[in-house]
Protein backbone atom coordinates (compact mmCIF):
# COMPACT_ATOMS: atom_id res chain seq x y z
CA UNK A 1 0.00 0.00 0.00
CA UNK A 2 2.83 2.40 0.85
CA UNK A 3 4.61 1.78 -2.45
CA UNK A 4 1.47 2.65 -4.44
CA UNK A 5 0.98 5.85 -2.44
CA UNK A 6 4.65 6.70 -2.99
CA UNK A 7 4.16 6.40 -6.76
CA UNK A 8 1.11 8.69 -6.73
CA UNK A 9 2.79 11.38 -4.63
CA UNK A 10 6.19 11.18 -6.24
CA UNK A 11 5.66 13.74 -9.02
CA UNK A 12 4.62 16.49 -6.60
CA UNK A 13 7.32 15.45 -4.17
CA UNK A 14 9.98 15.54 -6.89
CA UNK A 15 8.97 19.07 -7.89
CA UNK A 16 9.07 20.21 -4.27
CA UNK A 17 12.51 18.67 -3.73
CA UNK A 18 13.77 20.29 -6.92
CA UNK A 19 12.57 23.74 -5.82
CA UNK A 20 14.19 23.24 -2.40
CA UNK A 21 17.42 22.15 -4.05
CA UNK A 22 17.57 25.26 -6.26
CA UNK A 23 16.84 27.41 -3.24
CA UNK A 24 19.63 25.77 -1.28
CA UNK A 25 22.09 26.38 -4.10
CA UNK A 26 21.58 30.13 -3.75
CA UNK A 27 21.40 30.22 0.03
CA UNK A 28 24.25 27.93 1.04
CA UNK A 29 27.77 29.18 1.48
CA UNK A 30 30.03 27.69 -1.19
CA UNK A 31 32.68 27.19 1.48
CA UNK A 32 30.48 24.88 3.55
CA UNK A 33 32.96 22.26 4.89
CA UNK A 34 30.66 19.22 4.59
CA UNK A 35 31.42 16.01 2.73
CA UNK A 36 28.95 13.13 2.45
CA UNK A 37 30.16 9.60 1.79
CA UNK A 38 28.81 8.03 -0.30
CA UNK A 39 27.73 11.15 -2.19
CA UNK A 40 24.85 9.29 -3.87
CA UNK A 41 23.19 6.05 -2.85
CA UNK A 42 20.42 3.83 -4.23
CA UNK A 43 18.57 1.78 -1.60
CA UNK A 44 15.81 -0.77 -1.99
CA UNK A 45 12.66 0.11 -0.07
CA UNK A 46 12.87 -1.36 3.44
CA UNK A 47 16.62 -2.08 3.33
CA UNK A 48 19.43 -0.52 5.37
CA UNK A 49 21.57 2.51 4.57
CA UNK A 50 24.54 4.26 6.18
CA UNK A 51 25.94 7.69 5.18
CA UNK A 52 28.93 9.47 6.74
CA UNK A 53 28.94 13.25 7.15
CA UNK A 54 32.42 14.74 7.65
CA UNK A 55 33.13 18.33 8.66
CA UNK A 56 36.57 19.66 7.76
CA UNK A 57 38.69 21.28 10.44
CA UNK A 58 38.16 21.38 14.19
CA UNK A 59 35.34 19.86 16.21
CA UNK A 60 31.98 21.42 15.42
CA UNK A 61 28.35 21.15 16.39
CA UNK A 62 26.78 18.86 13.82
CA UNK A 63 23.76 16.57 13.40
CA UNK A 64 21.31 14.88 11.00
CA UNK A 65 17.72 15.90 10.27
CA UNK A 66 15.51 13.08 8.96
CA UNK A 67 12.06 11.55 9.58
CA UNK A 68 13.97 8.34 10.37
CA UNK A 69 16.75 8.07 12.97
CA UNK A 70 17.57 11.76 13.12
CA UNK A 71 20.64 12.70 15.20
CA UNK A 72 20.74 15.70 17.54
CA UNK A 73 23.58 18.18 17.90
CA UNK A 74 26.93 16.62 18.81
CA UNK A 75 30.49 17.93 18.98
CA UNK A 76 32.32 15.92 16.34
CA UNK A 77 34.24 15.96 13.06
CA UNK A 78 32.08 13.28 11.48
CA UNK A 79 28.68 11.77 12.15
CA UNK A 80 27.15 8.62 10.64
CA UNK A 81 23.43 8.40 9.84
CA UNK A 82 22.24 4.77 9.79
CA UNK A 83 18.78 3.33 9.15
CA UNK A 84 17.95 -0.38 9.08
CA UNK A 85 14.52 -0.07 7.39
CA UNK A 86 14.59 2.89 5.00
CA UNK A 87 11.25 4.32 3.87
CA UNK A 88 12.19 7.94 3.15
CA UNK A 89 14.56 9.87 0.91
CA UNK A 90 14.77 12.83 3.30
CA UNK A 91 18.09 13.20 5.17
CA UNK A 92 20.02 16.42 5.81
CA UNK A 93 23.41 16.85 7.53
CA UNK A 94 24.01 20.24 9.18
CA UNK A 95 26.99 21.95 10.82
CA UNK A 96 26.78 25.02 13.05
CA UNK A 97 29.55 27.39 11.91
CA UNK A 98 28.87 30.06 14.50
CA UNK A 99 26.11 32.25 15.91
CA UNK A 100 23.19 32.26 13.47
CA UNK A 101 25.36 30.55 10.82
CA UNK A 102 24.73 27.02 9.63
CA UNK A 103 25.64 25.03 6.53
CA UNK A 104 23.75 21.95 5.33
CA UNK A 105 24.14 19.14 2.84
CA UNK A 106 21.21 17.00 1.68
CA UNK A 107 21.87 13.31 1.08
CA UNK A 108 21.26 12.18 -2.52
CA UNK A 109 19.13 9.06 -1.96
CA UNK A 110 17.26 7.08 -4.60
CA UNK A 111 14.66 4.83 -2.99
CA UNK A 112 13.62 2.09 -5.38
CA UNK A 113 11.42 -1.00 -5.47
CA UNK A 114 11.18 -3.85 -7.96
CA UNK A 115 8.06 -4.13 -10.15
CA UNK A 116 5.36 -6.18 -8.46
CA UNK A 117 3.86 -7.28 -11.80
CA UNK A 118 4.49 -6.69 -15.51
CA UNK A 119 1.44 -7.48 -17.67
CA UNK A 120 0.29 -6.89 -21.24
CA UNK A 121 -3.12 -5.25 -21.65
CA UNK A 122 -4.79 -5.35 -25.07
CA UNK A 123 -8.14 -4.39 -26.58
CA UNK A 124 -8.19 -7.72 -28.43
CA UNK A 125 -10.34 -10.61 -27.21
CA UNK A 126 -8.11 -13.29 -25.68
CA UNK A 127 -5.38 -12.57 -28.21
CA UNK A 128 -7.60 -13.10 -31.29
CA UNK A 129 -6.89 -10.46 -33.93
CA UNK A 130 -8.03 -9.76 -37.49
CA UNK A 131 -5.41 -9.33 -40.15
CA UNK A 132 -4.89 -5.66 -40.98
CA UNK A 133 -6.87 -4.34 -37.98
CA UNK A 134 -5.17 -1.98 -35.52
CA UNK A 135 -4.89 -2.92 -31.83
CA UNK A 136 -3.22 -1.26 -28.90
CA UNK A 137 -0.96 -3.08 -26.46
CA UNK A 138 -0.03 -1.61 -23.06
CA UNK A 139 2.89 -2.78 -20.93
CA UNK A 140 1.47 -2.35 -17.42
CA UNK A 141 4.30 -2.08 -14.86
CA UNK A 142 2.82 -2.06 -11.36
CA UNK A 143 4.47 -1.13 -8.07
CA UNK A 144 7.86 0.08 -9.32
CA UNK A 145 9.72 3.02 -7.76
CA UNK A 146 10.97 5.39 -9.11
CA UNK A 147 8.58 5.20 -12.06
CA UNK A 148 10.42 7.83 -14.10
CA UNK A 149 13.48 5.58 -14.23
CA UNK A 150 11.59 2.77 -15.99
CA UNK A 151 11.79 2.13 -19.74
CA UNK A 152 9.89 -0.50 -21.74
CA UNK A 153 11.04 -2.73 -24.60
CA UNK A 154 8.72 -4.88 -26.78
CA UNK A 155 9.64 -8.18 -28.40
CA UNK A 156 7.80 -10.33 -30.93
CA UNK A 157 9.17 -13.87 -31.25
CA UNK A 158 12.20 -12.60 -29.27
CA UNK A 159 12.92 -9.86 -31.80
CA UNK A 160 12.93 -6.29 -30.52
CA UNK A 161 10.53 -4.02 -32.38
CA UNK A 162 9.30 -1.14 -30.18
CA UNK A 163 10.14 1.00 -27.14
CA UNK A 164 7.03 2.66 -25.74
CA UNK A 165 4.64 1.98 -22.86
CA UNK A 166 1.71 1.70 -25.31
CA UNK A 167 2.09 0.59 -28.91
CA UNK A 168 -0.27 0.20 -31.87
CA UNK A 169 -0.05 -3.18 -33.57
CA UNK A 170 -1.51 -4.31 -36.90
CA UNK A 171 -0.93 -8.07 -37.36
CA UNK A 172 -0.32 -9.86 -40.63
CA UNK A 173 -1.09 -13.46 -41.52
CA UNK A 174 2.61 -14.33 -41.14
CA UNK A 175 2.40 -13.35 -37.45
CA UNK A 176 -0.27 -15.92 -36.63
CA UNK A 177 0.54 -17.58 -33.30
CA UNK A 178 3.35 -15.14 -32.67
CA UNK A 179 4.53 -14.55 -29.10
CA UNK A 180 4.71 -11.01 -27.79
CA UNK A 181 6.16 -9.86 -24.50
CA UNK A 182 7.41 -6.63 -22.92
CA UNK A 183 10.28 -5.95 -20.57
CA UNK A 184 10.54 -3.29 -17.87
CA UNK A 185 14.07 -1.89 -17.49
CA UNK A 186 15.28 0.31 -14.63
CA UNK A 187 18.89 1.49 -14.65
CA UNK A 188 20.17 2.79 -11.29
CA UNK A 189 23.85 2.12 -11.96
CA UNK A 190 26.50 2.71 -10.78
CA UNK A 191 25.09 3.27 -7.27
CA UNK A 192 22.21 0.79 -7.66
CA UNK A 193 21.23 -2.28 -9.66
CA UNK A 194 20.09 -2.71 -13.25
CA UNK A 195 16.61 -4.22 -13.05
CA UNK A 196 15.05 -6.14 -15.96
CA UNK A 197 11.65 -7.80 -15.49
CA UNK A 198 9.70 -9.51 -18.28
CA UNK A 199 5.98 -9.99 -18.71
CA UNK A 200 4.30 -13.30 -19.49
CA UNK A 201 4.05 -14.41 -23.12
CA UNK A 202 1.07 -12.90 -24.98
CA UNK A 203 0.12 -15.19 -27.87
CA UNK A 204 -1.88 -13.82 -30.77
CA UNK A 205 -4.15 -15.67 -33.20
CA UNK A 206 -4.57 -13.92 -36.55
CA UNK A 207 -7.83 -14.47 -38.47
CA UNK A 208 -7.40 -13.88 -42.21
CA UNK A 209 -9.85 -11.79 -44.15
CA UNK A 210 -9.18 -13.88 -47.25
CA UNK A 211 -7.74 -17.29 -48.09
CA UNK A 212 -4.67 -17.91 -45.98
CA UNK A 213 -2.70 -19.66 -48.69
CA UNK A 214 -0.84 -18.89 -51.88
CA UNK A 215 -1.45 -20.16 -55.43
CA UNK A 216 1.55 -20.69 -57.61
CA UNK A 217 1.33 -20.78 -61.41
CA UNK A 218 4.46 -21.42 -63.38
CA UNK A 219 6.44 -20.50 -60.29
CA UNK A 220 4.63 -17.19 -60.13
CA UNK A 221 2.48 -16.19 -57.13
CA UNK A 222 -1.20 -15.58 -57.95
CA UNK A 223 -3.42 -13.21 -56.04
CA UNK A 224 -5.71 -15.67 -54.27
CA UNK A 225 -8.18 -12.94 -53.36
CA UNK A 226 -9.20 -12.35 -57.02
CA UNK A 227 -11.85 -14.71 -58.52
CA UNK A 228 -10.61 -17.20 -61.13
CA UNK A 229 -12.18 -17.19 -64.64
CA UNK A 230 -12.11 -19.56 -67.60
CA UNK A 231 -9.25 -17.57 -68.97
CA UNK A 232 -7.15 -18.76 -66.00
CA UNK A 233 -7.21 -22.43 -66.99
CA UNK A 234 -4.13 -24.47 -66.14
CA UNK A 235 -2.43 -26.44 -63.39
CA UNK A 236 -2.19 -24.76 -60.00
CA UNK A 237 -0.17 -25.85 -57.00
CA UNK A 238 -1.67 -24.98 -53.62
CA UNK A 239 0.70 -24.82 -50.66
CA UNK A 240 -0.74 -24.54 -47.16
CA UNK A 241 1.41 -24.06 -44.07
CA UNK A 242 0.73 -24.20 -40.39
CA UNK A 243 2.78 -24.08 -37.22
CA UNK A 244 4.92 -27.09 -37.98
CA UNK A 245 3.72 -28.84 -41.17
CA UNK A 246 2.90 -27.96 -44.75
CA UNK A 247 0.67 -29.56 -47.36
CA UNK A 248 0.65 -29.35 -51.18
CA UNK A 249 -2.19 -30.07 -53.60
CA UNK A 250 -2.51 -29.95 -57.37
CA UNK A 251 -5.64 -28.53 -59.04
CA UNK A 252 -6.59 -28.49 -62.75
CA UNK A 253 -8.81 -25.61 -63.77
CA UNK A 254 -10.56 -25.76 -67.31
CA UNK A 255 -12.53 -22.95 -69.73
CA UNK A 256 -15.65 -24.47 -68.48
CA UNK A 257 -15.44 -24.68 -64.64
CA UNK A 258 -14.59 -22.23 -61.85
CA UNK A 259 -12.86 -23.60 -58.86
CA UNK A 260 -12.95 -22.05 -55.34
CA UNK A 261 -9.83 -22.89 -53.41
CA UNK A 262 -10.02 -23.13 -49.59
CA UNK A 263 -7.29 -23.85 -47.06
CA UNK A 264 -7.42 -25.24 -43.56
CA UNK A 265 -4.85 -25.11 -40.80
CA UNK A 266 -3.32 -28.31 -39.47
CA UNK A 267 -4.34 -29.67 -36.10
CA UNK A 268 -1.41 -28.55 -33.99
CA UNK A 269 -2.62 -30.61 -31.02
CA UNK A 270 -1.41 -33.69 -32.91
CA UNK A 271 2.07 -32.26 -33.33
CA UNK A 272 4.76 -33.14 -30.85
CA UNK A 273 8.19 -31.72 -31.42
CA UNK A 274 11.16 -30.51 -29.43
CA UNK A 275 11.34 -26.83 -28.67
CA UNK A 276 13.91 -24.49 -27.23
CA UNK A 277 12.79 -22.31 -24.34
CA UNK A 278 14.64 -19.79 -22.25
CA UNK A 279 13.88 -18.14 -18.97
CA UNK A 280 15.71 -15.38 -17.20
CA UNK A 281 15.66 -13.92 -13.74
CA UNK A 282 17.22 -10.96 -12.03
CA UNK A 283 19.32 -11.49 -8.91
CA UNK A 284 20.66 -8.74 -6.67
CA UNK A 285 24.04 -9.94 -5.46
CA UNK A 286 25.80 -8.96 -2.25
CA UNK A 287 29.08 -9.85 -0.60
CA UNK A 288 27.69 -13.11 0.81
CA UNK A 289 27.19 -14.39 -2.76
CA UNK A 290 30.87 -14.14 -3.65
CA UNK A 291 32.11 -17.52 -4.92
CA UNK A 292 28.61 -19.07 -4.90
CA UNK A 293 27.56 -21.50 -7.66
CA UNK A 294 24.27 -20.77 -9.44
CA UNK A 295 22.41 -23.23 -11.64
CA UNK A 296 18.97 -23.65 -13.15
CA UNK A 297 16.88 -26.80 -13.45
CA UNK A 298 14.01 -28.07 -15.60
CA UNK A 299 11.39 -30.82 -15.32
CA UNK A 300 9.31 -32.01 -18.29
CA UNK A 301 5.61 -31.84 -17.40
CA UNK A 302 3.24 -33.38 -19.95
CA UNK A 303 -0.47 -33.20 -19.05
CA UNK A 304 -1.29 -36.52 -20.72
CA UNK A 305 1.56 -38.34 -18.96
CA UNK A 306 1.51 -38.70 -15.21
CA UNK A 307 4.77 -37.46 -13.81
CA UNK A 308 6.81 -39.78 -11.67
CA UNK A 309 6.81 -38.92 -7.93
CA UNK A 310 10.59 -38.54 -7.74
CA UNK A 311 11.28 -37.25 -11.20
CA UNK A 312 14.86 -36.01 -11.45
CA UNK A 313 15.56 -32.34 -11.92
CA UNK A 314 17.75 -31.67 -14.92
CA UNK A 315 20.37 -29.18 -13.80
CA UNK A 316 22.52 -26.88 -15.82
CA UNK A 317 26.25 -26.61 -15.35
CA UNK A 318 27.09 -24.36 -12.37
CA UNK A 319 27.84 -20.68 -12.85
CA UNK A 320 30.38 -19.44 -10.33
CA UNK A 321 30.04 -15.73 -9.62
CA UNK A 322 32.58 -13.25 -8.30
CA UNK A 323 31.08 -10.29 -6.45
CA UNK A 324 33.13 -7.13 -6.08
CA UNK A 325 32.15 -4.90 -3.18
CA UNK A 326 33.51 -1.92 -1.29
CA UNK A 327 35.39 -2.33 2.02
CA UNK A 328 33.79 -2.46 5.45
CA UNK A 329 35.96 -2.03 8.56
CA UNK A 330 35.38 -4.48 11.40
CA UNK A 331 34.60 -2.08 14.25
CA UNK A 332 33.96 -4.87 16.75
CA UNK A 333 37.72 -5.39 17.05
CA UNK A 334 38.62 -1.69 16.94
CA UNK A 335 36.74 0.53 19.39
CA UNK A 336 36.33 4.28 19.09
CA UNK A 337 38.30 5.04 22.30
CA UNK A 338 41.50 3.28 23.43
CA UNK A 339 43.35 4.15 26.70
CA UNK A 340 47.15 3.95 26.78
CA UNK A 341 49.44 4.14 29.83
CA UNK A 342 52.21 6.68 29.71
CA UNK A 343 55.40 5.05 28.50
CA UNK A 344 53.66 1.88 27.29
CA UNK A 345 52.74 0.96 23.70
CA UNK A 346 49.25 -0.12 22.63
CA UNK A 347 48.59 -2.10 19.42
CA UNK A 348 45.85 -0.89 17.06
CA UNK A 349 44.86 -3.36 14.34
CA UNK A 350 42.48 -2.37 11.54
CA UNK A 351 40.75 -5.22 9.71
CA UNK A 352 38.36 -4.79 6.78
CA UNK A 353 36.32 -6.99 4.47
CA UNK A 354 36.13 -6.22 0.76
CA UNK A 355 36.68 -7.61 -2.72
CA UNK A 356 39.28 -7.00 -4.06
CA UNK A 357 41.10 -7.14 -0.76
CA UNK A 358 41.25 -3.58 0.61
CA UNK A 359 44.44 -1.68 1.31
CA UNK A 360 44.78 -0.45 4.91
CA UNK A 361 46.40 2.93 5.68
CA UNK A 362 46.64 4.93 8.92
CA UNK A 363 46.75 8.70 9.41
CA UNK A 364 46.86 10.71 12.64
CA UNK A 365 46.87 14.24 14.00
CA UNK A 366 50.10 13.40 15.88
CA UNK A 367 53.36 11.73 14.91
CA UNK A 368 52.35 8.47 13.26
CA UNK A 369 54.32 5.37 14.27
CA UNK A 370 55.61 2.99 11.56
CA UNK A 371 52.85 0.96 9.95
CA UNK A 372 53.28 -2.79 10.17
CA UNK A 373 51.72 -5.40 7.85
CA UNK A 374 48.03 -6.29 8.14
CA UNK A 375 46.97 -2.82 9.31
CA UNK A 376 48.82 -2.91 12.67
CA UNK A 377 50.41 0.08 14.44
CA UNK A 378 51.79 0.49 17.99
CA UNK A 379 50.91 3.85 19.55
CA UNK A 380 52.34 5.47 22.67
CA UNK A 381 51.01 9.01 22.22
CA UNK A 382 47.47 10.25 22.70
CA UNK A 383 45.62 11.63 19.68
CA UNK A 384 43.19 10.71 16.89
CA UNK A 385 44.22 7.89 14.58
CA UNK A 386 42.20 7.27 11.38
CA UNK A 387 42.14 3.91 9.64
CA UNK A 388 41.17 3.88 5.95
CA UNK A 389 40.35 0.73 3.97
CA UNK A 390 40.08 1.23 0.21
CA UNK A 391 39.75 -0.76 -3.01
CA UNK A 392 38.73 0.22 -6.57
CA UNK A 393 35.03 0.25 -5.58
CA UNK A 394 35.14 2.57 -2.57
CA UNK A 395 36.54 3.12 0.89
CA UNK A 396 35.60 3.06 4.57
CA UNK A 397 37.14 4.98 7.48
CA UNK A 398 37.19 4.54 11.24
CA UNK A 399 38.57 7.03 13.81
CA UNK A 400 40.17 5.82 17.05
CA UNK A 401 40.81 8.33 19.84
CA UNK A 402 43.77 7.31 22.01
CA UNK A 403 43.60 8.82 25.50
CA UNK A 404 46.39 8.85 28.11
CA UNK A 405 45.72 6.92 31.28
CA UNK A 406 47.73 7.37 34.52
CA UNK A 407 49.55 4.22 35.65
CA UNK A 408 48.86 3.91 39.38
CA UNK A 409 50.69 0.59 39.73
CA UNK A 410 54.06 2.04 40.85
CA UNK A 411 52.33 4.28 43.40
CA UNK A 412 50.34 1.34 44.73
CA UNK A 413 53.49 -0.81 44.93
CA UNK A 414 55.37 1.93 46.80
CA UNK A 415 52.48 2.44 49.21
CA UNK A 416 52.33 -1.28 49.93
CA UNK A 417 56.11 -1.42 50.50
CA UNK A 418 56.03 1.51 52.97
CA UNK A 419 53.07 -0.04 54.76
CA UNK A 420 54.93 -3.35 55.10
CA UNK A 421 58.00 -1.60 56.52
CA UNK A 422 55.95 0.35 59.06
CA UNK A 423 54.04 -2.74 60.16
CA UNK A 424 57.33 -4.66 60.48
CA UNK A 425 58.86 -1.98 62.66
CA UNK A 426 55.79 -1.90 64.91
CA UNK A 427 55.90 -5.66 65.23
CA UNK A 428 59.62 -5.67 66.11
CA UNK A 429 59.07 -2.94 68.74
CA UNK A 430 56.18 -4.82 70.37
CA UNK A 431 58.14 -8.07 70.30
CA UNK A 432 61.20 -6.53 71.95
CA UNK A 433 59.08 -5.21 74.84
CA UNK A 434 57.42 -8.57 75.26
CA UNK A 435 60.77 -10.37 75.26
CA UNK A 436 62.24 -8.20 77.96
CA UNK A 437 59.24 -8.60 80.23
CA UNK A 438 58.84 -12.35 79.87
CA UNK A 439 62.20 -13.88 78.99
CA UNK A 440 64.69 -11.82 81.03
CA UNK A 441 64.96 -11.54 84.92
CA UNK A 442 65.97 -8.63 87.14
CA UNK A 443 68.41 -9.14 90.07
CA UNK A 444 69.40 -6.84 93.06
CA UNK A 445 72.25 -7.13 95.55
CA UNK A 446 70.79 -7.82 99.01
CA UNK A 447 72.77 -8.63 102.17
CA UNK A 448 75.92 -9.38 100.37
CA UNK A 449 78.06 -11.89 102.25
CA UNK A 450 81.53 -12.78 101.40
CA UNK A 451 81.91 -16.51 101.60
CA UNK A 452 84.70 -18.87 101.28
CA UNK A 453 85.83 -19.98 97.93
CA UNK A 454 84.57 -23.30 96.86
CA UNK A 455 85.94 -25.56 94.34
CA UNK A 456 83.37 -24.67 91.72
CA UNK A 457 84.35 -21.10 91.21
CA UNK A 458 87.62 -19.95 89.80
CA UNK A 459 89.12 -16.95 91.59
CA UNK A 460 91.63 -14.66 90.16
CA UNK A 461 91.65 -12.09 92.90
CA UNK A 462 89.02 -9.95 91.36
CA UNK A 463 85.90 -12.13 91.45
CA UNK A 464 83.94 -12.13 94.68
CA UNK A 465 81.04 -14.40 95.36
CA UNK A 466 78.01 -12.25 96.05
CA UNK A 467 74.76 -13.86 97.12
CA UNK A 468 71.81 -12.63 95.02
CA UNK A 469 68.11 -12.85 95.58
CA UNK A 470 65.40 -12.96 92.90
CA UNK A 471 63.18 -9.95 92.76
Amino acid sequence: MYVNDLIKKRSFKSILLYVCFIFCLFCLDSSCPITLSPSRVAVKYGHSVSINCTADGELREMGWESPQEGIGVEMANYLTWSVTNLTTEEALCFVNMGPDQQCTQRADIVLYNYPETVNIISNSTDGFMVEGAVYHLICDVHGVVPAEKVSVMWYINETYFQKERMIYFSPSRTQDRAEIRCEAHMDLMPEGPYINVSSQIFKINVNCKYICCNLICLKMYINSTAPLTRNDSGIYFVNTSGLAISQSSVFYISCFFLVQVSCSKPNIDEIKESVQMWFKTNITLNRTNNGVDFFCGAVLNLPEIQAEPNQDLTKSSPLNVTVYYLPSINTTKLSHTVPVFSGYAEDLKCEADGNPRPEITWTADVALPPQQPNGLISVIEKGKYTCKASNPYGSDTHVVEVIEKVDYLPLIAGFVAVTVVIISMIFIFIYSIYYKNTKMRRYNLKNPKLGAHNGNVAHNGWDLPLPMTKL
Side-chain angles (χ1 to χ4, degrees):
M1 180 63 70
Y2 176 83
V3 175
N4 294 331
D5 294 339
L6 185 61
I7 297 173
K8 296 177 181 178
K9 297 178 180 178
R10 187 172 183 82
S11 59
F12 173 77
K13 188 176 182 180
S14 300
I15 295 174
L16 183 60
L17 289 176
Y18 180 77
V19 173
C20 292
F21 176 74
I22 296 299
F23 178 77
C24 290
L25 288 179
F26 287 97
C27 295
L28 292 180
D29 185 0
S30 59
S31 62
C32 182
I34 292 182
T35 303
L36 298 184
S37 178
S39 59
R40 187 173 186 268
V41 63
V43 185
K44 189 176 185 296
Y45 177 81
H47 283 207
S48 61
V49 67
S50 181
I51 302 177
N52 293 324
C53 180
T54 304
D56 299 337
E58 59 186 9
L59 295 178
R60 301 179 184 273
E61 292 183 347
M62 59 187 309
W64 279 91
E65 292 183 358
S66 175
Q68 285 187 276
E69 305 297 336
I71 303 177
V73 177
E74 295 185 10
M75 291 294 297
N77 288 106
Y78 73 97
L79 206 57
T80 302
W81 177 69
S82 297
V83 179
T84 57
N85 183 18
L86 187 65
T87 59
T88 181
E89 296 177 334
E90 303 299 323
L92 180 74
C93 179
F94 65 89
V95 173
N96 293 331
M97 306 295 295
D100 301 328
Q101 185 179 4
Q102 184 183 75
C103 68
T104 62
Q105 183 69 41
R106 186 176 298 278
D108 189 359
I109 301 174
V110 177
L111 190 63
Y112 69 90
N113 201 47
Y114 297 149
E116 296 177 2
T117 57
V118 179
N119 297 316
I120 295 179
I121 301 176
S122 174
N123 60 343
S124 65
T125 304
D126 297 330
F128 287 94
M129 299 181 178
V130 178
E131 181 185 21
V134 179
Y135 300 88
H136 69 257
L137 299 176
I138 300 175
C139 188
D140 181 34
V141 184
H142 182 69
V144 65
V145 176
E148 64 271 14
K149 294 288 185 178
V150 177
S151 61
V152 171
M153 301 182 70
W154 287 90
Y155 296 85
I156 181 168
N157 292 333
E158 298 309 322
T159 301
Y160 167 76
F161 74 100
Q162 191 65 274
K163 189 177 181 180
E164 296 291 339
R165 287 287 183 92
M166 185 179 74
I167 62 173
Y168 293 95
F169 179 68
S170 179
S172 65
R173 64 185 65 188
T174 59
Q175 294 171 325
D176 183 43
R177 298 188 179 276
E179 295 182 344
I180 299 178
R181 66 182 182 89
C182 68
E183 289 184 354
H185 295 252
M186 184 165 65
D187 188 1
L188 300 177
M189 297 180 68
E191 294 82 10
Y194 184 91
I195 301 170
N196 180 12
V197 181
S198 177
S199 69
Q200 297 295 326
I201 298 297
F202 182 78
K203 291 185 178 181
I204 61 174
N205 295 276
V206 181
N207 296 328
C208 302
K209 290 183 178 180
Y210 309 104
I211 299 175
C212 294
C213 59
N214 294 323
L215 300 180
I216 304 176
C217 179
L218 298 178
K219 296 184 181 180
M220 298 293 292
Y221 285 97
I222 302 300
N223 185 3
S224 61
T225 61
L228 299 177
T229 66
R230 64 185 66 191
N231 295 327
D232 298 316
S233 60
I235 299 177
Y236 292 83
F237 296 89
V238 181
N239 294 329
T240 62
S241 60
L243 180 63
I245 64 173
S246 62
Q247 294 178 344
S248 298
S249 302
V250 180
F251 294 89
Y252 176 77
I253 304 178
S254 68
C255 299
F256 300 99
F257 301 97
L258 298 179
V259 178
Q260 182 179 4
V261 181
S262 62
C263 304
S264 61
K265 296 179 182 178
N267 185 1
I268 63 173
D269 292 334
E270 298 177 357
I271 301 171
K272 300 290 188 296
E273 62 178 70
S274 62
V275 295
Q276 291 184 347
M277 305 181 66
W278 62 270
F279 301 89
K280 67 177 181 179
T281 185
N282 296 310
I283 302 175
T284 302
L285 300 176
N286 54 44
R287 63 186 64 199
T288 61
N289 302 125
N290 185 37
V292 173
D293 289 334
F294 288 86
F295 66 89
C296 64
V299 175
L300 181 62
N301 183 16
L302 298 177
E304 64 273 17
I305 300 177
Q306 184 176 2
E308 298 179 5
N310 297 321
Q311 187 175 1
D312 293 335
L313 178 70
T314 303
K315 297 182 180 180
S316 68
S317 58
L319 173 65
N320 187 268
V321 298
T322 300
V323 181
Y324 297 102
Y325 51 93
L326 54 83
S328 176
I329 296 177
N330 187 354
T331 57
T332 59
K333 295 184 178 181
L334 192 63
S335 60
H336 288 282
T337 304
V338 174
V340 60
F341 292 108
S342 177
Y344 294 90
E346 182 70 22
D347 289 339
L348 300 181
K349 187 173 183 180
C350 183
E351 298 179 349
D353 179 34
N355 193 24
R357 185 177 180 180
E359 179 183 1
I360 306 298
T361 56
W362 283 93
T363 57
D365 58 357
V366 295
L368 186 68
Q371 300 192 39
Q372 304 177 28
N374 300 323
L376 180 66
I377 61 173
S378 296
V379 299
I380 59 176
E381 186 178 359
K382 66 178 181 178
K384 290 188 177 181
Y385 298 80
T386 302
C387 169
K388 182 177 181 180
S390 58
N391 66 11
Y393 298 94
S395 62
D396 188 20
T397 59
H398 181 73
V399 179
V400 180
E401 184 176 4
V402 176
I403 60 176
E404 187 175 0
K405 190 175 182 180
V406 179
D407 188 3
Y408 294 98
L409 184 60
L411 296 178
I412 295 174
F415 177 77
V416 172
V418 171
T419 303
V420 171
V421 171
I422 293 175
I423 293 176
S424 298
M425 294 178 63
I426 294 175
F427 176 78
I428 293 173
F429 177 75
I430 295 175
Y431 180 78
S432 63
I433 295 175
Y434 171 78
Y435 179 80
K436 289 181 179 180
N437 291 335
T438 57
K439 300 297 182 179
M440 300 185 64
R441 305 296 182 181
R442 292 183 180 180
Y443 296 92
N444 292 330
L445 296 176
K446 185 179 180 181
N447 300 322
K449 295 181 178 181
L450 298 177
H453 294 285
N454 53 40
N456 297 326
V457 180
H459 300 279
N460 55 10
W462 294 96
D463 294 328
L464 295 176
L466 300 176
M468 304 180 74
T469 59
K470 183 177 182 181
L471 296 178

